[in-house]
Amino acid sequence: MDIKNNILETIGNTPLIKLNKITKDIPCTVLAKVEYFNPGNSIKDRMALKMVEMAEKDGKLKPGGTIIECTSGNTGMGLALTAVVKGYKCIFTTTDKQSKEKADILKALGAEVIVCPTNVEPEDPRSYYSVARRLEKEIPNSYLCNQYDNLANRLAHYETTGPEIWKQTNGKITHLVCTAGTGGTVTGVAMFLKEKNPDIQVWAIDVYGSLLTKYFRTGEVDMNEVHPYISEGFGEDFVPKNYDMSVIDYFEQVTDKAGAVMARRLAKEEGMFCGYSAGSCLQGLMQLKSKLKKEDIVVCIFHDHGSRYVAKIYNDQWMIERGFLDVKTFKDIISGRGMKKLVSVEAGQTVSEAVELMKKYDIEHIPVMNGNGTVGAISESGLFQKIFANPEIKNSKIESVIEPSYPIVDFDTPVEKLSSLINKENGAVLAKDEAGNFHIVTKYDVIQALGK
């Protein structure tokens, strides 16, 4: 029988999958080492297990002990799985930049999660690095893994990820492309591959706001390079000890927007539901495609799964709010503001009730509905004129002041078409979503969308 003794035995041996559509203009073969096939849905399972095993071997982690780590989520997941199987407790410090889903997953596995501020110096006592170090001192029989400086991190990839890639490509790999964070993956894999063939090119992908690229090029730790960025899982504001820059040939930086957009393309065009760093990794390769030749074999490492980013890069509203997603249709507009329930009235209600709704929700246009259909509309400007002429009309039924119905369009109607339909007579347009619910877009919504 082919049986695994525990979940940890399923770590590694992830597939190498050819990219076909996004990379069609690249002359060579591009392969993805898809690491979300690990049990914790990320490449970090490999080094998490290795760090614990090395700590046990060195006597730094004893039975019943507590594992402490500062993590954006994926390393924590690997450590939490390891702790469950091996019987340890876990405390993780993370930053407020990371997605809530990551912390929730760690808690589901029994870990304690402490959220710390992002925009503070690493030495600040509030940083997630400092809090982790303090906890190790305060808690008896605890061990701070420190994935940044713990060389078991890169050793895990030297022993597993690198050999897998070499074997899967029959030693024909010419380029490794990998995002740069703790340095463990890119350095460990590169060390192995360079031993096999020193001509293999290793390209590290960084994010604007990280100091790693300038450090690679100049050897200078320049804090002026550091500024807040949205990308998750890679980029650093210091240089972890896991790096050996001598095995890396080139650093390329990508923007927050480009990485997020490319991750969404991976899902829609390649069927790979990956995380932020995967999109950034492929984007970095696309920026460097002119350096590739027809006979090259490129391997991109896709670190984790898209489920960790559902509330962020895979959320239209989040993307639009940051200017990462172009607003093109009716659907885009309502996604950007949040798909709130439509405020409507019935013809039998009073004008004063409609006025109160306008005040409560700060809106100017309300459709008048009859069951599932629209029979008319009322507007703030129209009501103002009528109430000014006859104040007593507030007590009348809406049917006595009803205006023509707003035009109804398809949910995917382009913004340009919407702007032509909204005029002095029609202050808004309506559309039904896939579930049959009406939504409204006004002149103000269109102006806001076109202004981004």
Side-chain angles (χ1 to χ4, degrees):
M1 294 185 292
D2 183 9
I3 296 173
K4 305 295 184 183
N5 293 309
N6 57 61
I7 195 68
L8 303 182
E9 293 185 1
T10 67
I11 294 173
N13 296 308
T14 54
L16 200 59
I17 304 172
K18 186 177 184 291
L19 298 179
N20 298 291
K21 296 181 180 178
I22 298 176
T23 58
K24 64 181 182 297
D25 294 330
I26 295 181
C28 64
T29 299
V30 179
L31 308 171
K33 181 70 167 164
V34 186
E35 287 293 301
Y36 63 62
F37 283 91
N38 283 302
N41 295 136
S42 93
I43 197 169
K44 298 291 188 177
D45 291 356
R46 298 173 183 264
M47 51 81 88
L49 177 58
K50 191 65 179 179
M51 288 193 298
V52 172
E53 289 176 340
M54 293 298 290
E56 292 172 332
K57 180 180 177 181
D58 296 339
K60 296 177 181 178
L61 189 57
K62 300 177 177 62
T66 300
I67 296 171
I68 299 173
E69 182 62 323
C70 40
T71 170
S72 61
N74 287 328
T75 299
M77 183 66 170
L79 288 171
L81 289 173
T82 303
V84 168
V85 173
K86 290 178 172 286
Y88 298 114
K89 298 176 184 176
C90 279
I91 301 177
F92 301 127
T93 60
T94 189
T95 68
D96 52 16
K97 181 181 73 174
Q98 307 305 326
S99 58
K100 182 177 180 295
E101 289 84 2
K102 289 183 177 180
D104 289 342
I105 291 170
L106 296 178
K107 292 175 183 177
L109 288 167
E112 178 183 348
V113 180
I114 300 172
V115 180
C116 305
T118 299
N119 297 324
V120 295
E121 298 293 330
E123 302 308 317
D124 189 297
R126 298 169 295 169
S127 77
Y128 77 143
Y129 312 112
S130 298
V131 172
R133 287 193 292 266
R134 174 176 59 79
L135 290 173
E136 184 187 33
K137 294 178 181 177
E138 294 176 352
I139 299 173
N141 190 21
S142 64
Y143 175 69
L144 174 59
C145 293
N146 186 11
Q147 61 179 313
Y148 301 93
D149 300 331
N150 189 332
L151 298 188
N153 180 349
R154 74 187 194 189
L155 180 61
H157 300 293
Y158 176 85
E159 292 181 343
T160 67
T161 320
E164 287 175 24
I165 292 172
W166 182 257
K167 181 179 179 181
Q168 288 170 315
T169 61
N170 289 324
K172 294 180 180 179
I173 176 175
T174 61
H175 294 74
L176 172 73
V177 185
C178 179
T179 49
T182 67
T185 302
V186 66
T187 302
V189 177
M191 289 171 67
F192 178 86
L193 294 178
K194 292 277 190 178
E195 286 182 4
K196 291 292 186 180
N197 178 4
D199 293 332
I200 292 173
Q201 290 288 295
V202 177
W203 292 347
I205 308 304
D206 196 14
V207 62
Y208 288 100
S210 163
L211 56 70
L212 293 174
T213 297
K214 184 169 184 179
Y215 177 79
F216 170 79
R217 294 172 180 171
T218 67
E220 177 187 359
V221 176
D222 185 0
M223 296 307 294
N224 292 321
E225 289 286 301
V226 177
H227 59 77
Y229 52 87
I230 298 173
S231 299
E232 293 186 40
F234 67 110
E236 296 294 350
D237 53 6
F238 69 106
V239 183
K241 292 180 180 177
N242 269 291
Y243 277 99
D244 178 353
M245 295 296 184
S246 70
V247 297
I248 300 174
D249 297 286
Y250 190 80
F251 259 76
E252 177 77 2
Q253 287 179 297
V254 300
T255 64
D256 292 324
K257 177 180 178 178
V261 171
M262 184 59 77
R264 290 169 67 109
R265 286 189 64 189
L266 271 171
K268 291 182 177 180
E269 297 179 43
E270 302 286 352
M272 296 182 186
F273 190 43
C274 299
Y276 213 142
S277 62
S280 300
C281 179
L282 184 54
Q283 175 61 31
L285 173 65
M286 299 299 284
Q287 292 172 196
L288 298 170
K289 64 182 181 180
S290 63
K291 297 177 179 288
L292 297 169
K293 302 183 296 294
K294 184 177 181 180
E295 63 271 19
D296 289 333
I297 303 290
V298 180
V299 173
C300 296
I301 295 183
F302 290 174
H303 281 72
D304 66 352
H305 196 257
S307 58
R308 309 274 165 83
Y309 308 88
V310 170
K312 290 194 172 184
I313 61 175
Y314 293 107
N315 178 280
D316 287 351
Q317 182 178 350
W318 188 90
M319 291 285 286
I320 291 172
E321 286 173 353
R322 285 152 187 80
F324 290 179
L325 195 64
D326 294 333
V327 179
K328 299 177 180 178
T329 67
F330 187 106
K331 180 180 179 181
D332 292 334
I333 292 177
I334 65 165
S335 295
R337 72 177 188 214
M339 295 179 70
K340 302 172 184 177
K341 185 178 179 181
L342 178 68
V343 177
S344 64
V345 292
E346 296 179 359
Q349 291 181 253
T350 63
V351 172
S352 61
E353 287 178 298
V355 171
E356 287 302 312
L357 286 173
M358 289 178 174
K359 290 179 181 178
K360 180 178 179 180
Y361 295 103
D362 190 24
I363 53 179
E364 298 180 13
H365 303 277
I366 301 180
V368 181
M369 310 293 287
N370 179 17
N372 294 323
T374 174
V375 295
I378 53 172
S379 65
E380 185 180 60
S381 58
L383 284 179
F384 175 79
Q385 294 174 359
K386 294 180 175 69
I387 293 173
F388 185 79
N390 178 16
E392 295 301 319
I393 206 169
K394 284 185 177 182
N395 300 318
S396 301
K397 301 292 185 182
I398 289 174
E399 59 190 7
S400 66
V401 297
I402 199 166
E403 301 166 26
S405 296
Y406 300 131
I408 298 176
V409 299
D410 292 333
F411 209 45
D412 291 321
T413 300
V415 171
E416 292 76 12
K417 178 67 174 177
L418 299 180
S419 60
S420 68
L421 292 173
I422 298 176
N423 50 44
K424 187 175 181 180
E425 287 71 34
N426 289 317
V429 292
L430 299 173
K432 278 186 178 182
D433 61 22
E434 294 85 345
N437 301 311
F438 273 109
H439 298 272
I440 189 170
V441 163
T442 67
K443 176 174 68 177
Y444 176 77
D445 293 322
V446 174
I447 292 173
Q448 285 288 97
L450 294 176
K452 291 185 178 179

